[in-house]
């Protein structure tokens, strides 16, 4: 019988309690879920078969080991009727794209405990445009309690069989990120989806810089399947650093001097709530809150390369990218004007740094990336990178900016990425050097990042693919100079570095070493996402 919407409250429920579907949920366009491979369906073992109303059609629904398939039930017509064949075309969704199932009930004012059963609602992860994911719904309407209970239990059993999907998460929320929107972002967009997926959460609000570091150093993490950071790049980098330090401590390693670090024990999820969101953008291909949340719910895990930053053999921190020179000075200036809005602060710092543009006299040593299989296998097994067979190279001179990046560093001002040829886990870093040049030429170089043109196609820009880098300033142009009227870019006797959006001040040489696939992040590579069946929907 056709099901019509009435004025009674209708909701997707389990156990008789009302649960509103989170924002952005929409019905799956069934015409876009058509299966091109009928032979595969026949080869799968059928778990259940029954009749449900989907949309306005009564359908023959088959649940197999890998997919849910349905075909409208139509009266018999002559063979070869093309219009009939089109109407009866089989449609399907893959079970791996379902992240929650609820009993759907209609509630009236008089009903207090349980409403009238309507059927089952499936919550599905689908692909939108530009690498975005969305949560959608599919309603299977059937008024039989027994029939729906059998199907509901089978769906719950299937969902429990995905081992990578988290059941409990530690949430670290930075309320000061960007325009102080992180709290609103989490409770309005993220938490409803996590609850819908049945994931337990424990939320800690980060109250000061370094709070995540001190918290993760001591807190009990055994009951959690992952850690989620809601904030910007600085917060995300701090949490990643804390997780890696915790892993070294648990492994009995000295955390001051780490040559071969061990992998972080829990995956890290990144909910973008900052001003640039470079880490989340590079990981997901887009700084989209719902996309990041669904990657976490679905248990999509990506192993990502991480760098160690050390000086005089002592570990400073773990990180993903760094800038020295113009990039470091700009951040140091921006930190002096935290009272401004993020965009104003960034633009003001860039203009002021350009007005005071000056080169650093440096000596840069680097170890070129060696892609041979035996070398990569040795390094994957944890052998030290530097040995007698490795050939270090050295360049020296006046440099306006030095960038070392283990990830593509996508952001709104650089949609192709600050290091577009770098990947999340290819075992190498991009070393990008801008030698001394005129201010107009350097500005042209910076503007290229926002365009489709090659930002490295300048005679003063050099790029290298490396595994290790040592940056050794050879003069005191970056340190505090009492002769200057105002030097706001560095503390006394220190050079400013921009490490993942955090200011790091170092007085001497910095040694950056890459460690392949050192941390697991909740997310999916662009290739994996584009190859997945969730790409069927185009909005």
């Amino acid at each position: 019988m056709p099901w019509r919407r009435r004025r009674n409250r209708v909701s997707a429920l389990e156990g008789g309690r009302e649960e509103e579907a989170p924002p952005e949920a929409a019905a799956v366009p069934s015409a876009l879920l058509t299966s091109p491979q009928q032979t595969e369906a026949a080869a799968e073992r059928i778990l259940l078969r029954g009749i449900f109303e989907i949309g306005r059609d009564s359908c023959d629904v088959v649940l197999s080991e890998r997919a849910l398939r349905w075909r409208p039930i139509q009266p018999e017509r002559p063979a070869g009727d093309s219009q009939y064949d089109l109407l009866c075309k089989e449609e399907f969704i893959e079970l791996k794209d379902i992240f929650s199932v609820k009993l759907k009930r209609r509630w009236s004012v008089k009903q207090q405990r349980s409403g009238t059963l309507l059927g089952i609602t499936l919550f599905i992860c689908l692909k939108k445009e530009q690498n975005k994911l969305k949560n959608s719904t599919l309603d299977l309407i059937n008024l039989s309690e027994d029939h729906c209970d059998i199907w509901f239990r089978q769906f719950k059993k299937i969902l429990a069989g995905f081992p990578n999907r988290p059941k409990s998460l530690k949430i670290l929320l930075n309320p000061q990120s960007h325009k102080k929107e992180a709290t609103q972002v989490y409770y309005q967009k993220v938490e409803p989806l996590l609850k819908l997926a049945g994931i337990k959460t424990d939320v800690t609000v980060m109250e000061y810089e370094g709070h995540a570091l001190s918290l993760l150093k001591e807190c009990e993490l055994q009951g959690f399947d992952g850690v989620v950071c809601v904030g910007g790049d600085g917060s995300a980098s701090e949490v990643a650093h804390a997780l890696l330090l915790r892993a070294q401590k648990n492994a009995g390693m000295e955390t001051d001097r780490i040559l071969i670090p061990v992998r972080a024990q829990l995956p890290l999820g990144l909910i973008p709530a900052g001003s640039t969101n470079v880490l989340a953008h590079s990981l997901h291909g887009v700084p989209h809150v719902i996309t990041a949340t669904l990657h976490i719910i679905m248990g999509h895990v990506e192993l990502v390369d991480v760098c160690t930053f050390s000086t005089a053999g002592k570990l400073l921190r773990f990180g993903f990218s760094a800038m020295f020179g113009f990039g470091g000075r700009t951040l140091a200036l921006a930190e002096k004007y935290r009272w401004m809005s993020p965009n104003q602060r960034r633009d003001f710092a860039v203009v002021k740094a350009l007005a005071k543009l000056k080169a650093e006299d440096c000596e840069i040593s680097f170890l070129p990336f060696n892609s041979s299989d035996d070398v990569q296998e040795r390094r994957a097994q944890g052998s030290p990178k530097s040995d007698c067979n490795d050939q270090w190279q050295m360049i020296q001179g006046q440099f306006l900016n030095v960038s070392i990046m283990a990830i593509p560093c996508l952001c709104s001002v650089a949609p192709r990425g600050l290091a577009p040829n770098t990947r999340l886990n290819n075992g190498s870093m991009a070393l990008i050097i801008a030698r001394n040049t005129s201010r107009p030429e350097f500005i042209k170089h910076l503007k290229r990042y926002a365009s489709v043109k090659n930002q490295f196609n300048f005679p003063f820009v050099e790029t290298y693919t490396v595994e290790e880098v040592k940056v050794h300033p050879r003069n005191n142009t970056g340190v505090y100079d009492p002769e200057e009227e105002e030097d706001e870019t560095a503390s006394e006797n220190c050079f400013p570095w921009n490490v993942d959006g955090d200011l790091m001040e170092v007085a001497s040489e910095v040694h950056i070493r890459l460690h392949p696939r050192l941390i697991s992040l909740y997310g999916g590579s662009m290739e994996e996402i584009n190859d997945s069946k969730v790409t069927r929907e185009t909005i």
Side-chain angles (χ1 to χ4, degrees), residues 14-238:
E14 179 183 352
R17 293 173 299 173
E18 181 175 6
E19 288 191 37
E20 296 293 338
E24 295 192 18
V28 178
S30 60
L32 297 173
L33 299 172
T34 303
S35 169
Q37 299 173 336
Q38 304 294 334
T39 54
E40 288 187 9
E44 296 177 24
R45 185 167 68 91
I46 294 177
L47 303 177
L48 290 173
R49 186 168 189 170
I51 296 176
F52 289 92
E53 183 179 319
I54 300 178
R56 293 183 177 273
D57 296 323
S58 293
C59 297
D60 178 18
V61 183
V62 177
L63 177 64
S64 65
E65 293 177 309
R66 294 170 51 190
L68 179 74
R69 304 174 187 272
W70 65 93
R71 183 190 296 270
I73 299 173
Q74 299 285 351
E76 292 186 6
R77 295 191 181 184
D81 189 328
S82 59
Q83 184 177 3
Y84 168 73
D85 292 340
L86 180 62
L87 289 173
C88 291
K89 199 169 184 180
E90 184 184 77
E91 299 162 308
F92 82 108
I93 55 174
E94 294 193 46
L95 300 184
K96 67 180 181 64
D97 296 332
I98 301 172
F99 67 89
S100 185
V101 57
K102 303 291 181 183
L103 292 174
K104 188 178 186 71
R105 296 183 184 274
R106 177 190 291 122
W107 280 52
S108 66
V109 176
K110 296 180 179 180
Q111 292 172 310
Q112 298 295 328
R113 296 187 177 180
S114 62
T116 303
L117 180 69
L118 297 177
I120 297 171
T121 297
L122 302 178
F123 294 86
I124 306 159
C125 174
L126 292 176
K127 173 73 167 57
K128 288 178 68 176
E129 77 285 358
Q130 298 177 345
N131 298 310
K132 289 183 180 179
L133 303 180
K134 68 174 289 186
N135 53 297
S136 299
T137 60
L138 179 68
D139 292 329
L140 307 178
I141 305 302
N142 190 302
L143 304 183
S144 169
E145 290 271 3
D146 293 338
H147 186 68
C148 288
D149 183 67
I150 294 172
W151 282 73
F152 177 76
R153 291 178 181 276
Q154 185 65 53
F155 278 121
K156 294 290 284 186
K157 181 179 179 181
I158 290 169
L159 292 179
F162 293 104
N164 290 334
R165 296 187 181 180
K167 296 178 178 59
S168 179
L169 294 171
K170 178 66 180 177
I171 311 293
L172 299 176
L173 192 156
N174 182 2
Q176 302 300 320
S177 290
H178 193 37
K179 299 177 182 178
K180 301 183 179 181
E181 297 171 341
T183 302
Q184 181 181 359
V185 164
Y186 176 74
Y187 286 108
Q188 290 187 4
K189 295 184 177 182
V190 179
E191 188 184 55
L193 279 172
L194 296 180
K195 283 186 175 180
L196 183 63
I199 298 174
K200 297 179 182 179
T201 57
D202 182 78
V203 181
T204 297
V205 177
M206 294 155 60
E207 300 175 353
Y208 54 88
E209 186 177 350
H211 189 182
L213 186 61
S214 60
L215 177 72
L216 292 177
K217 184 177 181 180
E218 301 296 340
C219 78
E220 181 58 57
L221 295 176
Q222 192 170 8
F224 298 106
D225 300 311
V227 176
V228 175
C229 174
V230 186
D233 289 319
S235 304
S237 182
E238 179 184 336

Side-chain angles (χ1 to χ4, degrees), residues 260 374-384 516:
I260 308 171
D374 57 335
V375 173
Q376 290 308 307
E377 183 178 358
R378 167 173 59 85
R379 289 167 181 165
Q381 293 173 351
S383 300

Side-chain angles (χ1 to χ4, degrees), residues 412-484:
S412 58
V413 296
R416 295 177 58 246
L418 299 176
N421 296 325
T422 305
R423 297 294 177 265
L424 294 172
N425 52 20
N426 61 351
S428 66
M429 301 181 292
L431 171 61
I432 304 165
I433 298 171
R435 290 183 178 268
N436 197 14
T437 187
S438 66
R439 184 180 289 106
E441 285 298 303
F442 186 67
I443 292 175
K444 286 182 183 178
H445 163 61
L446 296 181
K447 286 183 175 180
R448 285 276 185 93
Y449 281 97
S451 71
V452 296
K453 296 181 180 179
N454 184 359
Q455 63 262 41
F456 308 130
N457 191 22
F458 291 91
F460 58 88
V461 178
E462 302 173 13
T463 61
Y464 304 90
T465 303
V466 301
E467 297 176 11
E468 290 185 55
V469 179
K470 296 177 182 178
V471 179
H472 178 66
R474 297 194 302 176
N475 63 10
N476 63 347
T477 59
V479 300
Y480 174 74
D481 185 356
E483 299 296 326
E484 289 193 21

Side-chain angles (χ1 to χ4, degrees), residues 287 308 340 391 411 416 446 469 532 536:
T308 50
M340 291 184 177
Q391 299 298 317
C411 59
R416 295 177 58 246
L446 296 181
V469 179
S532 172
R536 293 183 174 277

